[in-house]
Structures are given as structure tokens and as C-alpha cells.
Amino acid sequence: MIPLLVFLSLAGTALGLPNCDAEPLQLPLQDVQVLSDKKDSFMRGIPAQIGRPVQNIVLLPWAELNNTWIYDSEAYCDKTIIWNDNICRVRRGNLLKEEESTTYIKANNIGAAGGAPTETYWDGSELGLKSLASSGLGGTDNFQVNGTQVLTGFPFGIPRLSWDHGYTMLHPLGLGSNSTYLNALRDAGQLSSRIWSLFWGRMWVDEPVDGSLVLGGYDENKVIGQNYTAPLNFGDFKGSSGCWTGMKVTISDIKLNFRDGRDKSLFPPNTALSCCLVPQRQLLLEAPFSYLETFENITQTSPFDSPSYGLHWSAQLFDAKTAFDGDITFSLSSGLEIRVPNSQYMPPFVDIERNGSRIFKNETRELLINGVDNQPATLGRYFFTSAYLMVDHDAGTFTLWKANPSKTSKLVKVTDLKTSTQCTNNPAATEQPTEEAAAQPRASGAVIGGSVAGGVVGLALIVLAVFFFLRHKQRSNNVEDASRAESLGHSPGGYKSPVYAQAAKDNWQRGSYHVPQELPGSNPVPFEFEGSTQSVYEMGDGQRK
């Protein structure tokens, strides 16, 4: 019986059934040495390897991209601020040499390589994103992120236009609603859900704290207090309630926290600011120029030079001797307050020198706030030095907490409803979760399947049929459910179609999917639907979450 169960576990993974034993994966966000012969050629990101023999690269989590994009010798660095190849190579996180990999297979485009044929484009996203998939090359190769399982034949794109203006720089790891990376890990049995969580860490201080990207759950030691959960809503920033990343929040106030205990608001009375969460952006805040002007008036300071050309592109430059030394607090309409320390939004000027070294100018401070005109307001990566983000593509939601900058970790697995049901109904294939773990699961009406070669499927189906008949006749109902979900969300290539995102949104609005037990810090209230009483999360404005 034991060998049979081992085979069933492998066969279930091949069939796209969830791996009930899959634990969350934690990928570090840290300083990574890019050039092997230059010790201080650091960029902050996620270390990864590609090809055979392996080539080291550095990745940046990208919220809305479906595909992962790897730069090669045509790196499209902005020559007006990046003066030589060393700087370009470091800022991009090393460059792929396709010809040196024996496992690389070229494709005409990302769709032909097996990735998502389009990238989600809405008003506010990078202008070049609209043409990225159609103009770029594609390929497949071995792909491994920080020691996790090697994904063989992983599809990725190779840009063939300057699509991102160069200031986000590193190779983007696509974590969007149709993420080829998350789907590949799920199909390989590495994950039980398409969930990712992010904490950027703390930098530019005496005792820095590495950040992390957690897949399939979140880090309980990095969150504090009540959470705020809302639906992912993809759309144009203007004229809709959505964002290109799917994550829009309303800021009700921004206060400057002076060292003597005084607080001064940047907001005029009775105003609010709609803002998109964009974790890959290089600053803390992009907002209308009036907020930047108010900051200067309140602090009685002003920039001494044109905006930064360094790694914090477009930041405002201040003299370190007179720069504001207080913190800044963001109040969201949900009631959540996020206080960002001065060290995380007014760091020293930081750049990459001609020889590839990362350098600092301690006499200069960069205010990581930029004024924008007729552009969406954004909260970028430095917001997540003090806030913790979880994105649940299966449930179609995102969650925010206050971040706890702890160096310790306690990973919590978060599982969608389908996986929870299948694993609970199949005790022979997985251990029952502990009471603590059982309190964590999230619900979703989504199911992710996969496709495999006919011979493996046939053999697996025979064994599974016998096993199901003997052990659980009820599993046949689950298979029917999976087929119905597949008709909504799957396309033959194994990636999620845009129909899935709309279906998840519709289910959210109807309240027709089951909601599990609460996340830590939530305050559940009963809500009755479909003949049963489940827990839902109540937001401050009375909406369900």
C-alpha cells in the first residue's frame, strides 16, 4: 500500500491535483553580488540561476506581469544615465548568455515558448508593457530560484524594446494573475496555492533586515495586528475602481512625525487620495506635486539639485545636514496605519559606479517621494518596509498588515478551498493539519489543473480509479467540480486565461464562494449563504472581505 500511495502522490501532481504536503517556499530579498570579480557590485533582489551550466541572475518581484522576462546582451539600459556596460550589467542583475547554455531552446515569442501570450495592460502601467509580449523573443531553459526545485523547460521572455524606462532595472519575476512561474510551481507539486506574500526588508541601517517573497502562504512573524483584505480589481486607474496591479487603496491622511512628538498632515481638510500598490516601483510614494510642495513647506526644507539619477530614480535630493529627520505615517481608509521610519524613505544617495561598485553619498539624502502630473498615485517598494502584503490569486484578494521587521520566520501555509477539500477527503494521501494550521486556510472557488502525456495519464487514471473506488467514492464529485472550473479558467497551454480573473471577481461580488476561518488579526462575523453559515471578514466600511 505504501508504494501505491507514493505513486498516487506523483500521479496526482502530474494530473494537476494539489500536493497536500506542499509547504510554503521562502525566497530572500537581499543584497546579491552581481559581478563575480567585484565584491561590492550589489543589487537588492532574489538570487536565481538559469541554464546549464548555470548563470546567476537577480530577480525583482513584479506584481502584474504574467511572464518572467530575462535580459540578454540587448539590455536596453538608458545611456543618458548608464554610461558603460558594467553599470548596465549590475543594474540589470547580470545578463543572460543564451549561446552558453546547452539547455536553452529559442522561440519566436513568449507564447510560442509556452508562456502567457499577452501581458495585462491597463492605464498607469509601464507604457511599453502593451507591446512587450508581441515584440519580445521567447525561450525555455532550466530555471531555479534560490535553491528551490529546478523547473526544466521553463518559458520566459527576452525583451526587444525599452519597455520599463530602465529605472526598475532587474529581471522581472512575473507574479500576476496568469503567472507562468506560480502555475509551474503548482503543476510541479511545489505549491498548494497561487499565493505570494512580500516584505521588502529594512536597508541602509546598521543592522539591516532581509526581506522575503513567500509563495503558498505568508510569514506570521512578519505581521502585526489587524489585517485589511479587499478584492483584486484589475482595470484602468482613471474612470474605474481598479488598478493595473489589481490593488487600489484609499489614503485618508499622510502625517509627518517630528522628533519632538508633533504630527503635521500633508493633506488638505476633507480629502483622500486613491493609490495603487506597485511593489516593484523604486520609491515610497508618487503623488500629485502639491503633496511634495506641502512636505517642503512643513519641514522648511527644499531640494538642492535636480532629481536623482541613481538607483532611486526621480527621488528628491536634500542636504543631509538640514534634511527632515522624522518618520512618515500613512492612514488608510480601512483604519490601517503604516509608519515608515526616516531611514527607509530618506536614505543616502545610492548608485552604481562605473566599475560596477555600489556607492553611497552620505552627505546627500534622497526623499523617496516624487511629484507626478496627470499620473496615478502609487505606493512603491519602500512602503513594504513597514507594510506586509499577501496576494491570493485563487481567492481574488489582497491583504495588508503592519510589518514586523523580525529576522525570524514562521511560515503559514494558505490553501484554496479546492485543495483543502481534496486533501481533507483523502487522508491516506496527506496528514491532517494541526489545529493551528487548520485555522489558516483561505477559501477560493478556483482550481488549477495541468496536462501531461497520454501514457502517464492513462496509467495514473487506472490506479486512481481503483484507489478512489476503494477509499472514497465521493472524490468523483470533486473531479466533476474540477472539470467545471477548468471550463471557466483554463486554456490548453497550462496558463490561466483572463476569464479566470473575471470569474473570481464575479464570485466575490455575488458572495458565492465559501470563506474559511480567519487570518490572524481578523474579526469574523457570521454571514449566511448557500444554505450554510460561514465566516467572512468585515471591513471598516461594512463590505465583506
Side-chain angles (χ1 to χ4, degrees), residues 110-433:
I110 182 61
T118 59
E119 294 291 1
T120 304
Y121 177 80
W122 298 101
D123 171 54
S125 57
E126 306 294 338
L127 292 176
L129 190 57
K130 195 172 186 179
S131 303
L132 180 59
S134 60
S135 65
L137 299 178
T140 63
D141 210 333
N142 296 344
F143 185 66
Q144 184 178 26
V145 181
N146 191 51
T148 59
Q149 177 178 317
V150 176
L151 298 173
T152 59
F154 178 73
F156 59 91
I158 302 174
R160 281 297 176 260
L161 80 164
S162 180
W163 66 281
D164 69 343
H165 301 290
Y167 53 64
T168 49
M169 303 317 299
L170 296 174
H171 308 281
L173 177 68
L175 299 172
S177 60
N178 197 12
S179 169
T180 56
Y181 180 61
L182 294 178
N183 291 345
L185 289 174
R186 174 75 182 255
D187 291 343
Q190 287 269 287
L191 295 178
S192 59
S193 60
R194 297 184 315 126
I195 289 171
W196 59 271
S197 302
L198 180 138
F199 170 60
W200 190 255
R202 293 283 174 92
M203 297 156 290
W204 330 126
V205 291
D206 292 338
E207 295 186 9
V209 178
D210 284 347
S212 67
L213 176 68
V214 176
L215 307 179
Y218 70 101
D219 189 344
E220 188 175 61
N221 284 7
K222 298 295 193 301
V223 302
I224 301 174
Q226 298 288 321
N227 66 64
Y228 164 70
T229 298
L232 289 169
N233 190 348
F234 296 92
D236 290 328
F237 184 86
K238 297 177 180 177
S240 81
S241 58
C243 275
W244 62 98
T245 61
M247 298 177 283
K248 179 180 279 190
V249 297
T250 300
I251 301 176
S252 57
D253 200 3
I254 301 176
K255 288 187 175 71
L256 297 181
N257 312 120
F258 285 78
R259 291 282 184 137
D260 61 6
R262 292 177 299 137
D263 292 332
K264 295 287 186 178
S265 175
L266 297 182
F267 274 39
N270 302 315
T271 60
L273 179 66
S274 294
C275 206
C276 289
L277 302 181
V278 192
Q280 67 268 14
R281 286 281 171 92
Q282 79 281 9
L283 302 181
L284 167 68
L285 173 69
E286 294 171 294
F289 279 100
S290 59
Y291 293 95
L292 187 57
E293 293 169 357
T294 303
F295 177 93
E296 295 173 14
N297 290 335
I298 291 176
T299 61
Q300 293 295 294
T301 61
S302 60
F304 69 85
D305 201 351
S306 57
S308 173
Y309 58 82
L311 295 183
H312 300 130
W313 176 254
S314 75
Q316 308 299 308
L317 301 180
F318 288 78
D319 186 334
K321 295 179 181 179
T322 58
F324 178 62
D325 61 357
D327 299 342
I328 188 169
T329 298
F330 295 84
S331 300
L332 305 186
S333 61
S334 64
L336 191 64
E337 291 197 342
I338 304 297
R339 181 164 175 152
V340 181
N342 185 270
S343 63
Q344 301 305 295
Y345 78 97
M346 292 203 76
F349 174 86
V350 56
D351 197 12
I352 304 298
E353 190 57 276
R354 292 177 183 269
N355 65 358
S357 300
R358 187 173 68 183
I359 61 167
F360 299 89
K361 293 182 180 178
N362 290 312
E363 68 274 13
T364 300
R365 290 289 181 267
E366 295 184 305
L367 172 63
L368 305 186
I369 299 175
N370 184 33
V372 292
D373 192 11
N374 296 321
Q375 294 292 324
T378 64
L379 286 167
R381 65 183 67 161
Y382 284 89
F383 182 68
F384 301 102
T385 62
S386 296
Y388 192 92
L389 171 67
M390 182 176 78
V391 175
D392 186 340
H393 286 307
D394 295 329
T397 62
F398 71 95
T399 299
L400 285 173
W401 287 269
K402 290 182 181 179
N404 175 32
S406 170
K407 292 187 177 182
T408 65
S409 293
K410 181 181 179 182
L411 302 186
V412 175
K413 180 163 66 173
V414 183
T415 307
D416 63 74
L417 177 64
K418 186 66 177 183
T419 299
S420 298
T421 301
Q422 290 179 332
C423 291
T424 301
N425 288 345
N426 189 9
T430 181
E431 294 183 4
Q432 292 296 324

Side-chain angles (χ1 to χ4, degrees), residues 12-29:
T13 297
L15 287 167
L17 297 176
N19 179 0
C20 301
D21 297 325
E23 293 297 326
L25 302 176
Q26 183 166 239
L27 311 178
L29 271 165

